[in-house]
Amino acid sequence: MRGLAVASPLPPAAAAARRWPRASSSSREAVSQCWKYDSSQERSLGGSLRIGQSEGSLRRHRSSNLLRPAAAAISVEQDEVNTYLPKGDMWSVHKFGGTCMGTPQRIQSVADIVLGDSSERKLIIVSAMSKVTDMMYNLVHKAQSRDDSYTIALEEVFEKHMSAAKDILDGEDLARFLSQLHSDVSNLRAMLRAIYIAGHATESFSDFVVGHGELWSAQMLSYAIMKSGAPCSWMDTREVLVVKPSGFNQVDPDYSESEKRLQKWFSRQPAEIIVATGFIASTAENVPTTLKRDGSDFSAAIIGSLVRARQVTIWTDVDGVFSADPRKVSEAVILSTLSYQEAWEMSYFGANVLHPRTIIPVMKDNIPIVIRNMFNLSAPGTMICKQPANENADLDACVKSFATIDNLALVNVEGTGMAGVPGTASTIFSAVKDVGANVIMISQASSEHSVCFAVPEKEVAAVSAALHVRFREALAAGRLSKVEVINGCSILAAVGLRMASTPGVSATLFDALAKANINVRAIAQGCSEYNITVVLKQEDCVRALRAAHSRFFLSKTTLAVGVIGPGLIGGTLLNQLRDQAAVLKENMNIDLRVIGITGSSTMLLSDTGIDLTQWKELLQKEAEPADIGNFIHHLSDNHVFPNKVLVDCTADSSVASHYYDWLKKGIHVITPNKKANSGPLDRYLKLRTLQRASYTHYFYEATVGAGLPIISTLRGLLETGDEILRIEGIFSGTLSYIFNNFEGTRTFSDVVTEAKEAGYTEPDPRDDLSGTDVARKVIILARESGLRLELSDIPVKSLVPEALASCSSADEFMQKLPSFDEDWARQRNDAEAAGEVLRYVGVVDAVNKKGKVELRRYKRDHPFAQLSGSDNIIAFTTSRYKEQPLIVRGPGAGAEVTAGGVFCDILRLASYLGAPS
């Protein structure tokens, strides 16, 4: 009889009882019941076993495979066919972790990725759905703690998988999966009940419970793939992978036996796509076990080695292996290639994209591992191989990466009696071994006067006690002077294949740490020089990491710059960047790369940097149609440069409306555009909240005073605890020029005409005379001072005569403006008669929480009356500067000074990112 096995053949009760701890008769009965073969259940599920078949017969048919969950499509009575297991480049192996399998939608995405792989044969290794492994461990913990809520927790596990299955499966596939799920959960319920009664779970029973997460995710994925019509089988790797305990909660694969079992499995199911369970395996005696936590990577590497795969791809939620932890080093970049040795060292020192033992199986067969991001398929990822393919280009940096381990303690064993005494180190580490502590690093002085080593802080108390006991006599006799423990330590490791052939690596590392004022407590370096390890205070660790990374990996603070609006201000900024680029590289270690320029109609893009000596010509010859979306993607998707900044040199409110989204993408924003900060209050508050909550910077010094330090002065006052009472100033360079020159017998219309011809005004002078620009600056300063005001809350005295507001053009306005010269002359004469001058000012009244824009009169000895040209002047009246306001004065208009203000913000950003100040 041939059929589909859907019931789980379970191990005999006697075998289970032998592994179960001594317990009450009720406990033993429960164990027997939980392992009992249920023939009636098999009948209801349509199994292929003969009704009434004995457990011994079952055991013989299944070669003592204890825990065969039942969705594999094979009858126990089917004759085996000796199908040869092909090996080599036709196989590609993919591993998907719990995050990738976390939801039904993601499982379907995994299926799509598998189906999109053009390899002849594919082996897919999957973890349990996200959080399920923890849920399964929690089931065991609750049961053996005799916590009744394990039944509720089991129901949550069931509901999670049933819900996921209903989202991605249907018809017969769904029925088969749910039938198996019900059966498995029923068995688990009985087993957990037994554990509950016994109050204890053996390791093999715990492993059996926990491994169900992988079984279910593998079955769901295999069904999802088959829905597309592709032939697919799923593999319970406990039938194939055989491991041997190696102590210290680790196992070693038995490659020979595993290869035999894989051949046997494949002879029954020679599928082109195989979905296999990660994490779980069996011992040689067919006792269920696991590869321990995070072992799915290990599973993929072992299976990849067994089939001699072309490549093993490990899919994660990051774009690859970083040169350092990006949470600690914002300049960290994705490494395109790593050697096996480098990856090994990085895994050891905590790089969390790889299981530390994953590299061993593939390294012996020179099988590349590729780390890729399932959620960003455009990212090429990181390839780990024997020798990087682009060695000449990618190994220029002798140090490839930096890693840290926190929460360590340094143990120092010191004494003159240690020198020349054989076996001292052996005695030390024998004592450490006896307490089961993990030694992370060892360092010994050449004089043999001292040995120090780092262990996890949680283990140091036991280590110290063991050493004091072991060396009691030596300490009492003075042969050892001390066994010292230094808590609160971290390790910083520099990793690189070419360190061995590059002189001065250590000197450069310690110079970088010294200049960062960081003290090194211990040092270790192997003769292979694949890594240099230093122990330092944990509080200094992040600072040390950044200092070392900046010195080695990025010799310069590199900024990828995108400029929006290459008009008067933007074009001037590009010329300033061009003229100053060499000086910045030489003197400040800052490398500014403009990789995009966009106007309203065309844009110019470059992956590595535009030649600014001919940016105008390139924008005409090589430009493409402007598309702000593509422009942003070009900047954000660039993996060459770790830091990106958008410089908006427009006055466009639609561009400003994108700032929040750009900051969310991790792109810094710098702008002289006032529209964002003077627009709707909620949008401004949202921007500032995001700015404070993230590592992305938003600078806008030039929005108020062009090149004058207005915003930074205000922030400095507030951050040092001063209280703003009043801000008053002449904020418009255009209106400053007009009223500075509106004196004597000159008419108002003549002065406006002169200012327009000199380029001080907008093409339509009404834009300046309306006072709206000044009002925007007032609202920005008010909000920076903590006032929650809208632009509409600011009363503005417009200088545009009401009768001329409706003029259809600037020319018409200028022609009719002289008819109002007499009114202006009268106001000027009245002011002069009182010894005063007219000035157009903006005021922030912080005490009364309001602002205004108006034409005011000032005495001739007032600082506002003594301006010349287009200068701006701003007076800050504060609690500290109450009697004599703090005054900032200087040019407040013009392309050169405005672009200079933006340039200053770019350099301030570079300083924040690590450039020398």
Side-chain angles (χ1 to χ4, degrees):
M1 180 178 67
R2 298 177 183 270
L4 190 69
V6 293
S8 298
L10 298 172
R18 281 197 299 271
R19 293 191 298 272
W20 201 263
R22 284 196 167 272
S24 64
S25 60
S26 60
S27 171
R28 289 193 295 273
E29 181 181 354
V31 173
S32 177
Q33 289 298 319
C34 90
W35 287 106
K36 185 176 180 181
Y37 178 70
D38 187 344
S39 60
S40 63
Q41 182 185 66
E42 169 136 341
R43 284 194 300 271
S44 68
L45 295 176
S48 62
L49 292 172
R50 290 191 298 271
I51 304 305
Q53 184 177 13
S54 70
E55 290 184 356
S57 174
L58 169 66
R59 193 161 61 250
R60 288 192 298 274
H61 273 294
R62 298 314 305 263
S63 301
S64 300
N65 186 357
L66 301 184
L67 300 167
R68 171 74 169 127
I74 188 73
S75 166
V76 296
E77 293 185 348
Q78 181 175 337
D79 293 333
E80 292 185 1
V81 178
N82 291 322
T83 303
Y84 171 71
L85 173 66
K87 297 179 182 179
D89 287 353
M90 77 280 293
W91 286 102
S92 67
V93 175
H94 298 264
K95 178 262 175 178
F96 294 91
T99 303
C100 299
M101 299 287 291
T103 66
Q105 295 76 20
R106 291 179 182 178
I107 293 174
Q108 185 59 55
S109 296
V110 169
D112 294 340
I113 291 173
V114 172
L115 292 167
D117 181 356
S118 59
S119 301
E120 182 180 342
R121 295 183 179 274
K122 288 162 276 194
L123 246 164
I124 317 303
I125 315 300
V126 294
S127 299
M129 293 180 70
S130 180
K131 308 299 182 185
V132 166
T133 299
D134 288 336
M135 295 171 75
M136 302 303 283
Y137 273 117
N138 189 43
L139 286 175
V140 177
H141 174 73
K142 285 178 179 290
Q144 67 183 1
S145 301
R146 294 191 169 123
D147 180 347
D148 290 327
S149 66
Y150 79 86
T151 58
I152 299 173
L154 180 60
E155 190 65 25
E156 290 173 354
V157 172
F158 172 76
E159 291 291 339
K160 181 180 180 77
H161 289 85
M162 181 177 68
S163 174
K166 288 181 176 179
D167 279 354
I168 55 177
L169 306 179
D170 52 36
E172 187 178 351
D173 290 344
L174 176 61
R176 286 178 177 176
F177 177 80
L178 292 182
S179 175
Q180 182 63 45
L181 182 64
H182 277 284
S183 174
D184 289 344
V185 170
S186 177
N187 291 330
L188 284 173
R189 186 176 291 110
M191 175 172 284
L192 291 168
R193 176 62 181 169
I195 294 172
Y196 178 91
I197 294 171
H200 176 73
T202 64
E203 182 179 358
S204 60
F205 275 64
S206 177
D207 289 345
F208 170 71
V209 172
V210 172
H212 277 73
E214 278 70 20
L215 296 172
W216 295 327
S217 64
Q219 292 172 57
M220 279 194 287
L221 178 59
S222 66
Y223 282 129
I225 292 172
M226 285 190 288
K227 273 182 64 177
S228 68
C232 177
S233 294
W234 79 274
M235 176 197 293
D236 178 355
T237 49
R238 291 175 301 190
E239 294 184 12
V240 172
L241 292 188
V242 179
V243 297
K244 298 173 288 187
S246 59
F248 299 107
N249 201 33
Q250 291 190 351
V251 294
D252 289 331
D254 184 336
Y255 289 100
S256 176
E257 182 61 25
S258 297
E259 192 165 4
K260 292 176 185 176
R261 294 195 182 191
L262 179 59
Q263 171 66 64
K264 184 177 180 180
W265 187 96
F266 189 83
S267 69
R268 298 195 307 262
Q269 301 188 64
E272 294 180 358
I273 302 176
I274 301 172
V275 179
T277 55
F279 178 56
I280 57 178
S282 293
T283 67
E285 297 77 25
N286 293 325
V287 175
T289 187
T290 70
L291 301 179
K292 311 313 171 188
R293 294 301 293 262
D294 301 319
S296 291
D297 291 352
F298 199 17
S299 299
I302 296 169
I303 291 177
S305 174
L306 293 177
V307 299
R308 310 296 190 270
R310 183 187 77 257
Q311 177 175 292
V312 174
T313 303
I314 295 179
W315 294 88
T316 69
D317 56 357
V318 295
D319 285 345
V321 181
F322 282 88
S323 57
D325 187 339
R327 297 167 298 181
K328 298 177 180 178
V329 181
S330 59
E331 297 92 345
V333 296
I334 300 295
L335 302 173
S336 60
T337 54
L338 282 172
S339 69
Y340 291 124
Q341 291 86 353
E342 288 167 336
W344 180 297
E345 296 285 350
M346 291 177 66
S347 297
Y348 180 78
F349 286 105
N352 60 5
V353 292
L354 277 180
H355 185 275
R357 304 189 72 195
T358 301
I359 300 153
I360 301 172
V362 294
M363 186 164 63
K364 66 185 180 69
D365 294 312
N366 292 331
I367 299 170
I369 298 177
V370 178
I371 312 296
R372 291 197 61 190
N373 189 349
M374 174 182 159
F375 308 104
N376 182 14
L377 298 180
S378 62
T382 300
M383 175 175 283
I384 301 168
C385 52
K386 180 179 180 180
Q387 196 72 0
N390 56 341
E391 178 186 0
N392 293 333
D394 205 47
L395 288 180
D396 286 342
C398 60
V399 176
K400 291 293 287 292
S401 65
F402 294 88
T404 60
I405 305 177
D406 294 328
N407 302 313
L408 301 178
L410 195 63
V411 180
N412 182 41
V413 182
E414 186 175 313
T416 55
M418 293 173 57
V421 179
T424 302
S426 173
T427 305
I428 291 171
F429 294 111
S430 174
V432 175
K433 175 180 178 293
D434 289 344
V435 298
N438 180 30
V439 177
I440 308 295
M441 186 213 79
I442 304 170
S443 180
Q444 180 176 10
S446 58
S447 66
E448 300 182 356
H449 177 71
S450 67
V451 175
C452 68
F453 54 93
V455 297
E457 208 161 24
K458 63 184 179 182
E459 300 173 356
V460 74
V463 169
S464 177
L467 290 173
H468 277 91
V469 170
R470 189 68 60 90
F471 291 105
R472 183 187 299 113
E473 293 182 4
L475 288 166
R479 295 193 302 273
L480 288 186
S481 57
K482 61 182 176 180
V483 175
E484 179 187 18
V485 173
I486 304 170
N487 287 300
C489 294
S490 290
I491 277 180
L492 169 66
V495 177
L497 184 66
R498 295 184 64 189
M499 288 164 54
S501 59
T502 306
V505 174
S506 297
T508 304
L509 173 63
F510 294 123
D511 180 64
L513 297 178
K515 288 182 177 178
N517 197 31
I518 292 165
N519 182 45
V520 174
R521 293 183 177 271
I523 306 163
Q525 180 177 13
C527 62
S528 66
E529 294 190 50
Y530 289 146
N531 84 73
I532 300 173
T533 306
V534 299
V535 179
L536 33 78
K537 290 181 182 177
Q538 185 162 320
E539 63 196 60
D540 293 336
C541 186
V542 173
R543 192 155 50 93
L545 178 62
R546 290 173 179 168
H549 187 274
S550 176
R551 177 66 64 89
F552 276 100
F553 198 82
L554 295 176
S555 60
K556 304 171 180 66
T557 301
T558 308
L559 269 177
V561 183
V563 176
I564 303 174
L568 185 59
I569 294 174
T572 304
L573 173 64
L574 289 167
N575 291 336
Q576 291 178 353
L577 293 174
R578 174 200 64 201
D579 297 340
Q580 198 66 10
V583 176
L584 292 175
K585 283 185 182 179
E586 181 68 25
N587 297 340
M588 299 186 67
N589 244 9
I590 298 173
D591 187 4
L592 300 179
R593 304 284 189 93
V594 177
I595 64 171
I597 303 171
T598 184
S600 57
S601 57
T602 59
M603 66 181 181
L604 178 64
L605 305 177
S606 169
D607 289 331
T608 56
I610 296 168
D611 181 2
L612 294 184
T613 62
Q614 48 179 338
W615 69 267
K616 290 183 180 178
E617 293 84 353
L618 293 172
L619 191 58
Q620 290 178 343
K621 296 177 182 178
E622 301 181 13
E624 54 190 90
D627 184 313
I628 193 66
N630 290 340
F631 185 80
I632 301 306
H633 282 306
H634 171 73
L635 193 70
S636 63
D637 293 346
N638 185 295
H639 294 295
V640 178
F641 307 113
N643 302 301
K644 297 112 177 177
V645 57
L646 274 166
V647 182
D648 174 21
C649 294
T650 72
D652 193 327
S653 58
S654 65
V655 175
S657 68
H658 293 293
Y659 291 175
Y660 184 85
D661 294 332
W662 297 341
L663 291 168
K664 286 279 284 185
K665 289 177 179 286
I667 303 173
H668 308 287
V669 176
I670 292 173
T671 185
N673 186 345
K674 293 177 277 291
K675 297 298 172 63
N677 287 10
S678 62
L681 177 62
D682 60 342
R683 183 183 297 173
Y684 166 81
L685 294 175
K686 189 177 177 184
L687 269 176
R688 291 305 308 275
T689 299
L690 175 61
Q691 180 189 13
R692 294 187 184 100
S694 69
Y695 295 100
T696 315
H697 298 286
Y698 171 44
F699 294 149
Y700 42 86
E701 183 70 75
T703 56
V704 174
L708 297 179
I710 306 302
I711 300 290
S712 56
T713 298
L714 175 56
R715 285 193 176 175
L717 293 170
L718 292 170
E719 289 169 2
T720 57
D722 204 351
E723 181 184 4
I724 304 299
L725 304 177
R726 183 182 180 89
I727 304 172
E728 185 174 357
I730 297 173
F731 296 102
S732 168
T734 301
L735 297 178
S736 177
Y737 178 88
I738 289 173
F739 285 101
N740 287 339
N741 288 278
F742 181 44
E743 56 186 7
T745 59
R746 300 194 65 183
T747 65
F748 187 77
S749 60
D750 283 344
V751 176
V752 173
T753 301
E754 179 181 279
K756 186 174 187 297
E757 292 173 350
Y760 285 113
T761 72
E762 295 294 331
D764 188 337
R766 285 176 294 182
D767 293 339
D768 298 292
L769 296 173
S770 67
T772 302
D773 186 66
V774 176
R776 289 189 180 278
K777 296 178 180 180
V778 168
I779 201 67
I780 290 172
L781 292 177
R783 290 173 176 178
E784 291 289 311
S785 302
L787 304 185
R788 299 199 168 196
L789 298 176
E790 294 283 5
L791 186 61
S792 58
D793 296 329
I794 307 297
V796 179
K797 171 63 178 176
S798 174
L799 303 182
V800 178
E802 189 173 343
L804 302 185
S806 60
C807 289
S808 60
S809 66
D811 290 341
E812 181 185 354
F813 169 77
M814 293 303 298
Q815 289 173 2
K816 294 181 177 180
L817 184 60
S819 61
F820 293 88
D821 282 343
E822 289 187 9
D823 293 339
W824 280 109
R826 185 164 48 253
Q827 292 186 62
R828 179 187 60 194
N829 294 337
D830 289 345
E832 289 179 347
E836 297 173 334
V837 296
L838 297 175
R839 294 292 183 262
Y840 195 71
V841 298
V843 177
V844 175
D845 184 351
V847 174
N848 296 305
K849 296 180 170 38
K850 62 183 182 179
K852 58 184 174 180
V853 177
E854 60 185 357
L855 183 67
R856 297 190 62 188
R857 289 160 47 165
Y858 292 90
K859 293 294 184 181
R860 287 195 173 275
D861 59 354
H862 193 279
F864 286 15
Q866 298 170 16
L867 294 183
S868 61
S870 60
D871 281 3
N872 283 5
I873 187 169
I874 294 90
F876 295 92
T877 303
T878 72
S879 295
R880 295 175 187 159
Y881 297 94
K882 186 179 293 186
E883 302 301 324
Q884 186 174 353
L886 173 64
I887 291 178
V888 178
R889 171 181 172 176
E896 288 290 338
V897 294
T898 303
V902 175
F903 200 166
C904 283
D905 272 348
I906 294 174
L907 296 182
R908 184 154 65 105
L909 173 62
S911 177
Y912 280 20
L913 296 175
S917 58

